[in-house]
Amino acid sequence: YDMITAMFSKVQYRVGSAVKVDGGYDVPVTVIPIQMTGELETAAQDAVSNGVTELLNDPAVMSMTEEELTNRLLIMVMNAIKDELETNPTYGEPTEVTVRYQELEEGLWGINKADGEKLGSAIFRSS
């Protein structure tokens, strides 16, 4: 949860002027994506290496289940990514995504799932 909060706190975007269209508004959003490669990838790899070493030196490891071991490593990786994001986020080239702001159901306005996924893909880049 802390990692996700850190990721979204570092997102950079600008919302453009909405254009009225049939059924709602088209809204351009310029996103400066967080790069999920480079330093973040290195931080995750280092966390796995350090985590394995830590686990091998922990006498309690013999009584842990595979799920407990996996969860412990996963927490180490997520904390490393969170720390890297908080101190050294890396951004990619800006990209513009247009989403349709519309009435999803009576009295509830927002963007549909497909536009949400399109926006999410623009926020975090892995290449």
Side-chain angles (χ1 to χ4, degrees), residues 35-97:
Q35 288 295 129
M36 300 304 290
T37 56
E39 288 84 0
L40 284 179
E41 196 171 45
T42 300
Q45 290 168 349
D46 290 348
V48 169
S49 295
N50 295 338
V52 168
T53 301
E54 182 181 316
L55 287 171
L56 289 174
N57 292 321
D58 186 346
V61 76
M62 298 308 286
S63 62
M64 290 181 172
T65 66
E66 186 176 331
E67 183 178 0
E68 289 170 327
L69 289 168
T70 301
N71 286 340
R72 193 155 156 193
L73 276 175
L74 184 57
I75 289 168
M76 290 175 188
V77 169
M78 289 190 311
N79 285 336
I81 290 172
K82 177 184 77 73
D83 292 346
E84 185 66 29
L85 279 169
E86 288 176 344
T87 59
N88 188 31
T90 304
Y91 294 95
E93 291 297 314
T95 186
E96 186 174 291
V97 176

Side-chain angles (χ1 to χ4, degrees), residues 1-11 82 85-86:
Y1 176 77
D2 288 340
M3 181 190 79
I4 293 170
T5 302
M7 289 173 80
F8 280 102
S9 74
K10 297 298 180 181
V11 171
K82 177 184 77 73
L85 279 169
E86 288 176 344

Side-chain angles (χ1 to χ4, degrees), residues 14 19 31 33 62 65 102 111 113:
R14 289 184 304 275
V19 176
V31 176
M62 298 308 286
T65 66
Q102 61 192 348
I111 62 174
K113 183 179 178 181

